[in-house]
């Protein structure tokens, strides 16, 4: 008997508008992300600023409206002032976090230029751990004050007459973790972050701030950190930042495929912490969630090769993604859409080479990893009104795992009102064919304008510079049909699928 699963949505039942910033990226001064990645001045594809045009083209394909920068753990030892002004005067520093050298060839002004080329805003993380609140204030002054002050005039002298207008800022990075240079307790962080936020908002009161939330589930402070930090920062920040990295170290595919449910749980926990503090403060203020680092990360070696220590642009944390990662990354994105009411920023970590959808060959070409595709398609066709759904699916049991019963079907429907289209995303997590039904109540469905799947018979299939084994393909018309408000389709085992339906 064929497995059957169904999603039902209704035009009137809405979760919220998907914020475009949930399709963000992340660029850290780490490994080959910046140097020998997006920046390679001697490369034949380099533009006049030293940025690779072929990489820019691929990043533009992903359409990332916001990019977190410059770290990551890197930022906690970084002084932004080292990266401005004439390059010959910039110091070469030791990056203690990643045991690398930071030449400071690329700094804020150069990175802003790159962001303009990819049409992205910046989510700038300030160094709260080993730098001062004053330095963070001066950074906002440099970036956002039009002129007439020391740092804003210096920006002009450095070639940017107009302010950079950076709207989104993180108050540090993963300060709850002992691996962080300048790790703090929640109380210490709350105090310093409050003073830093104060100076930054005095410099520009239109900016929006993210507080560091709990970064890793395994920390003993997980959860309580968020509440304590929010008690200090509730009226200072607009977002609580959380991070999630997924792995299949245990080689347990069903458990790995249940990552989207972990994301659900994690976002709900962060929302609950913020709302608990709102209750204490007797406030209706809603703090939004920024999942400003997320990806699959376990195969890539964390440290660089011994001979590469204290150098720059050497391979670190490079991961090769496979077909199973398509289902997990694609599912995580659906979970993010399903939390459109409170999740307003998410950044795929990272954008180039380092745990990334885009890989480059120094002096050579660049290529798309498997996870490039679910990200691109969700970014292109997942922006709109996310509909509340009811899923009726056979389940499998996850003992000891957060949610117990996991639906084989993970599916989300987005109503793209301006385009008069519904996008139906559906992931079949069963290792068998699924007869999928999507019932779109109160919509006048006209036709299926596109149907595509990402499927490979092997979960271990990977892409490479020579062979793009995993990529989207059209689903033949004989495998789906539309009748009234109901779409029926045959989904391949362990596959990612997307249907775009024209509606009136
Ligand atoms: O993205 C790689 C690292 O993961 C970041 O530097 C850090 O914030 C996280 O632990």
């Amino acid at each position: 008997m064929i497995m059957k699963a169904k999603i039902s949505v209704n035009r009137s039942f809405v979760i919220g508008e998907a914020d475009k910033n949930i399709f963000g990226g992340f660029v850290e001064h780490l490994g080959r992300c910046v140097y020998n990645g997006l920046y390679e001045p001697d490369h034949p594809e380099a533009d006049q600023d030293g940025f690779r045009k072929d990489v820019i083209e691929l990043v533009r394909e992903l359409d990332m409206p916001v990019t977190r920068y410059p770290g990551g753990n890197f930022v906690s030892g970084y002084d932004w002032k080292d990266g401005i002004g004439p390059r010959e005067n910039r110091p070469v520093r030791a990056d203690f976090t990643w045991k690398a050298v930071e030449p400071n060839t690329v700094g804020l002004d150069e990175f802003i230029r790159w962001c303009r080329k990819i049409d992205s805003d910046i989510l700038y993380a300030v160094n709260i751990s080993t730098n001062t609140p004053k330095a963070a204030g001066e950074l906002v002054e440099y970036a956002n004050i039009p002129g007439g002050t020391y740092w804003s005039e210096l920006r002009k002298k450095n070639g940017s007459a107009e302010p950079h207008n950076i709207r989104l800022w993180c108050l540090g990075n993963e300060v709850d973790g002992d691996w962080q240079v300048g790790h703090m307790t929640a109380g210490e962080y709350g105090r310093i972050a409050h003073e830093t936020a104060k100076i930054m908002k005095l410099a520009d009161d239109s900016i929006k701030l993210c507080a560091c939330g709990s970064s890793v589930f395994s920390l003993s402070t997980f959860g309580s950190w968020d509440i304590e930090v929010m008690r200090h920062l509730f009226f200072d920040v607009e977002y609580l930042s959380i991070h999630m990295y997924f792995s299949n170290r245990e080689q347990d595919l069903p458990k790995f495929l249940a990552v989207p449910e972990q994301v659900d749980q994690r976002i709900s926990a962060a929302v609950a912490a913020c709302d608990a503090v709102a209750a204490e403060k007797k406030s209706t203020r809603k703090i939004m969630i920024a999942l400003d680092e997320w990806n699959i990360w376990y195969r890539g070696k964390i440290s660089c090769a011994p001979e590469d220590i204290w150098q720059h642009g050497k391979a670190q944390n490079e991961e090769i993604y496979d077909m199973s990662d398509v289902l997990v990354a694609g599912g995580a994105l659906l979970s993010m859409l399903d939390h459109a009411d409170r999740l307003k920023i998410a950044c795929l970590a990272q954008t180039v080479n380092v745990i990334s959808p885009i890989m480059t060959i120094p002096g050579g070409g660049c290529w798309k990893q498997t996870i490039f595709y679910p990200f691109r398609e969700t970014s292109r066709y997942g922006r709109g009104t996310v509909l509340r759904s009811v899923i009726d699916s056979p389940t499998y049991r996850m003992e000891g795992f957060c949610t117990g019963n996991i639906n084989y079907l993970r599916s989300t429907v987005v109503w793209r009102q301006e385009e008069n289209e519904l996008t139906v995303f559906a992931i079949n997590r069963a290792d068998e064919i699924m007869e999928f039904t999507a019932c779109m109540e109160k919509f006048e469905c006209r036709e299926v304008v596109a149907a595509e799947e990402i499927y490979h018979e092997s979960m271990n299939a990977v892409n490479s510079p020579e062979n793009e084994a995993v990529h989207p393909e059209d689903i033949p018309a004989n495998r789906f049909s539309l009748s009234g408000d109901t779409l029926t389709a045959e989904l391949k085992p362990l596959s990612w699928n997307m249907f775009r339906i024209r509606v009136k």
Side-chain angles (χ1 to χ4, degrees):
M1 223 176 56
I2 288 191
M3 178 183 281
K4 292 186 177 173
K6 177 177 177 181
I7 181 170
S8 304
V9 294
N10 183 301
R11 192 183 187 112
S12 312
F13 304 156
V14 160
I15 295 175
E17 289 303 304
D19 195 307
K20 66 180 178 20
N21 286 343
I22 67 169
F23 300 108
F26 174 36
V27 167
E28 177 166 3
H29 283 239
L30 162 57
R32 299 194 304 124
C33 187
V34 176
Y35 305 112
N36 280 334
L38 59 92
Y39 179 78
E40 201 183 328
D42 297 334
H43 194 279
E45 283 284 334
D47 66 12
Q48 72 282 9
D49 297 314
F51 295 120
R52 282 181 63 158
K53 287 181 281 183
D54 53 349
V55 175
I56 289 170
E57 210 175 295
L58 289 195
V59 182
R60 285 181 69 87
E61 218 179 300
L62 293 176
D63 194 356
M64 295 169 147
V66 69
T67 304
R68 189 167 183 257
Y69 177 81
N73 296 336
F74 168 78
V75 80
S76 296
Y78 179 59
D79 188 342
W80 69 272
K81 292 173 188 169
D82 290 341
I84 56 168
R87 275 185 168 144
E88 61 277 15
N89 299 339
R90 297 186 193 178
V92 174
R93 300 275 190 206
D95 162 12
F96 299 116
T97 297
W98 299 112
K99 286 192 174 295
V101 153
E102 174 51 54
N104 282 304
T105 320
V106 173
L108 174 60
D109 296 314
E110 290 80 19
F111 193 69
I112 286 277
R113 227 168 284 147
W114 186 74
C115 281
R116 304 268 183 264
K117 296 172 203 267
I118 61 155
D119 259 336
S120 182
D121 291 329
I122 288 195
L123 167 58
Y124 196 102
V126 300
N127 175 359
I128 212 157
S129 289
T130 61
N131 215 337
T132 60
K134 185 163 175 264
E138 289 165 342
L139 173 50
V140 178
E141 175 190 337
Y142 183 88
N144 287 6
I145 291 185
T149 65
Y150 177 80
W151 290 104
S152 60
E153 287 300 320
L154 191 57
R155 181 202 67 242
K156 288 178 164 177
K157 197 170 147 213
N158 289 341
S160 300
E162 296 304 317
H164 295 322
N165 273 326
I166 302 177
R167 305 265 63 91
L168 296 168
W169 300 79
C170 290
L171 296 167
N173 177 73
E174 295 186 353
V175 184
D176 60 335
D178 195 29
W179 59 88
Q180 202 67 214
V181 173
H183 156 64
M184 296 175 208
T185 64
E188 288 163 349
Y189 172 71
R191 268 290 304 142
I192 290 181
H194 171 71
E195 292 307 322
T196 307
K198 195 195 291 177
I199 297 189
M200 291 173 75
K201 285 199 169 172
L202 284 169
D204 180 352
D205 62 7
S206 69
I207 62 173
K208 306 254 183 273
L209 300 178
C210 305
C212 283
S214 295
S215 53
V216 183
F217 190 70
S218 55
L219 288 176
S220 62
T221 54
F222 182 87
S224 63
W225 167 280
D226 305 74
I227 293 181
E228 195 172 343
V229 158
M230 285 317 300
R231 282 181 179 142
H232 286 270
L233 298 174
F234 187 76
F235 293 108
D236 297 319
V237 302
E238 284 70 26
Y239 304 89
L240 179 70
S241 139
I242 56 173
H243 293 174
M244 282 193 93
Y245 288 100
F246 321 119
S247 101
N248 187 16
R249 258 191 210 100
E250 300 153 50
Q251 297 286 302
D252 181 341
L253 183 64
K255 185 172 176 186
F256 188 43
L257 296 181
V259 154
E261 281 67 20
Q262 262 181 296
V263 178
D264 291 337
Q265 166 104 352
R266 184 79 176 81
I267 296 171
S268 300
V271 167
C274 293
D275 290 353
V277 176
E280 279 184 357
K281 307 263 183 203
K282 302 182 175 55
S283 168
T284 54
R285 183 178 166 81
K286 290 243 180 305
I287 302 293
M288 298 300 171
I289 308 304
L291 177 52
D292 55 16
E293 283 188 34
W294 72 271
N295 206 346
I296 297 139
W297 182 18
Y298 62 105
R299 310 177 190 94
K301 273 195 4 203
I302 292 206
S303 46
C304 53
E307 64 276 15
D308 290 342
I309 290 178
W310 307 123
Q311 298 188 47
H312 76 281
K314 299 291 181 182
Q316 265 174 294
N317 308 302
E318 297 195 6
E319 183 97 11
I320 298 298
Y321 293 107
D322 66 14
M323 178 62 211
S324 71
D325 299 322
V326 167
L327 305 178
V328 168
L333 285 159
L334 297 193
S335 168
M336 292 174 214
L337 287 172
D338 288 343
H339 293 270
D341 53 339
R342 293 301 289 272
L343 183 82
K344 298 295 179 184
I345 297 175
C347 302
L348 179 65
Q350 299 190 3
T351 303
V352 181
N353 288 328
V354 175
I355 39 174
S356 166
I358 296 169
M359 301 301 285
T360 72
I361 300 165
C366 53
W367 55 281
K368 300 169 182 173
Q369 295 241 37
T370 62
I371 60 166
F372 183 95
Y373 289 110
F375 188 96
R376 184 189 74 183
E377 299 306 79
T378 316
S379 171
R380 277 185 181 166
Y381 303 112
R383 299 181 193 198
T385 309
V386 186
L387 298 173
R388 198 164 289 289
S389 55
V390 176
I391 297 205
D392 183 6
S393 163
T395 60
Y396 62 98
R397 185 88 195 142
M398 292 276 29
E399 290 307 334
F401 188 61
C402 59
T403 44
N405 290 334
I406 307 291
N407 289 324
Y408 279 108
L409 171 69
R410 182 88 198 197
S411 181
T412 298
V413 180
V414 178
W415 179 16
R416 299 166 65 230
Q417 301 196 38
E418 278 177 26
E419 290 78 12
N420 285 323
E421 275 186 24
L422 287 173
T423 307
V424 180
F425 296 99
I427 297 174
N428 177 8
R429 295 186 277 196
D431 195 4
E432 57 185 282
I433 290 174
M434 176 182 279
E435 191 183 301
F436 169 67
T437 306
C439 184
M440 295 151 289
E441 288 168 19
K442 305 258 171 63
F443 283 101
E444 275 184 48
C445 299
R446 292 293 163 87
E447 60 172 334
V448 177
V449 291
E452 61 181 51
E453 66 190 358
I454 309 177
Y455 168 78
H456 197 286
E457 58 198 13
S458 166
M459 284 292 105
N460 299 325
V462 297
N463 290 349
S464 69
E466 298 77 34
N467 179 21
E468 199 173 79
V470 180
H471 58 268
E473 277 182 305
D474 288 345
I475 303 177
N478 63 0
R479 284 192 23 227
F480 62 87
S481 65
L482 183 67
S483 165
D485 65 2
T486 302
L487 169 81
T488 311
E490 182 193 288
L491 308 185
K492 286 191 174 169
L494 298 170
S495 62
W496 178 98
N497 306 268
M498 183 185 77
F499 302 88
R500 285 170 42 217
I501 298 166
R502 194 160 65 79
V503 293
K504 200 180 153 198

